[in-house]
Amino acid sequence: MTTAALRLSGALHELLTNVEEHAGDGVDGLGAFEILGREAWMVVADSGRGVLGGYQASQLADKPADAEQALKWAVIDHRSRTGDAARGTGFQTVIQSVRSLDGCVRVRSDDASLELEQEADRSRLLLREQGKLRGFVVSVLLRW
């Protein structure tokens, strides 16, 4: 198995594990992928409490003010809702995998989305307000 395939497999496993761990009880989740020509898509989604709801349900004294801040905490700052500094690295694994393959990651929850585009040595991060979405959706696009 190539290094790229191992990285993608690890990223997909991390995202699927997150559904069970973070979405809440009795939540539906799905994972899908598609490979067409020189593109690959991976999507993991759930109908859970969302990123802001996860932080709000935590025991943290300091909580994010809105979904945009919650996405930044979870995806960019790797701040675990448990408060444990050794946790919260799941998205770091996913983002490093995608960056190494010049891919794009889009994370959407509640009324916000965060997109990371990587091309060669240049990356771009976009944080946007969106229409309300219940749960959490992570999509990854790779082209080669």
Side-chain angles (χ1 to χ4, degrees):
M1 194 177 259
T2 68
T3 302
L6 287 171
R7 287 183 179 143
L8 285 175
S9 175
L12 185 57
H13 180 265
E14 178 64 33
L15 292 171
L16 290 168
T17 301
N18 281 352
V19 171
E20 184 177 333
E21 185 176 346
H22 298 293
D25 295 331
V27 170
D28 292 322
L30 71 93
F33 71 93
E34 180 176 46
I35 300 172
L36 290 172
R38 298 179 57 88
E39 283 187 352
W41 282 94
M42 294 188 318
V43 177
V44 175
D46 68 60
S47 61
R49 62 183 159 209
V51 68
L52 184 59
Y55 280 113
Q56 288 175 339
S58 75
Q59 301 298 317
L60 294 174
D62 186 27
K63 298 185 182 182
D66 55 29
E68 286 184 20
Q69 185 178 30
L71 278 177
K72 185 178 178 305
W73 281 19
V75 179
I76 303 303
D77 300 337
H78 316 295
R79 291 176 70 169
S80 171
R81 63 184 173 84
T82 67
D84 182 352
R87 300 214 39 210
T89 60
F91 273 112
Q92 189 173 17
T93 302
V94 172
I95 288 172
Q96 285 174 346
S97 298
V98 172
R99 277 186 168 157
S100 73
L101 299 167
D102 293 341
C104 302
V105 177
R106 183 170 191 252
V107 182
R108 183 155 181 227
S109 184
D110 305 306
D111 62 356
S113 71
L114 188 147
E115 295 178 40
L116 174 69
E117 295 178 350
Q118 181 71 33
E119 292 180 12
D121 61 348
R122 179 182 66 89
S123 63
R124 183 172 77 153
L125 180 68
L126 302 168
L127 191 59
R128 298 184 229 209
E129 186 176 337
Q130 300 284 328
K132 180 74 173 158
L133 171 79
R134 181 176 172 200
F136 206 82
V137 178
V138 180
S139 55
V140 176
L141 170 63
L142 302 169
R143 292 186 175 120
W144 58 90

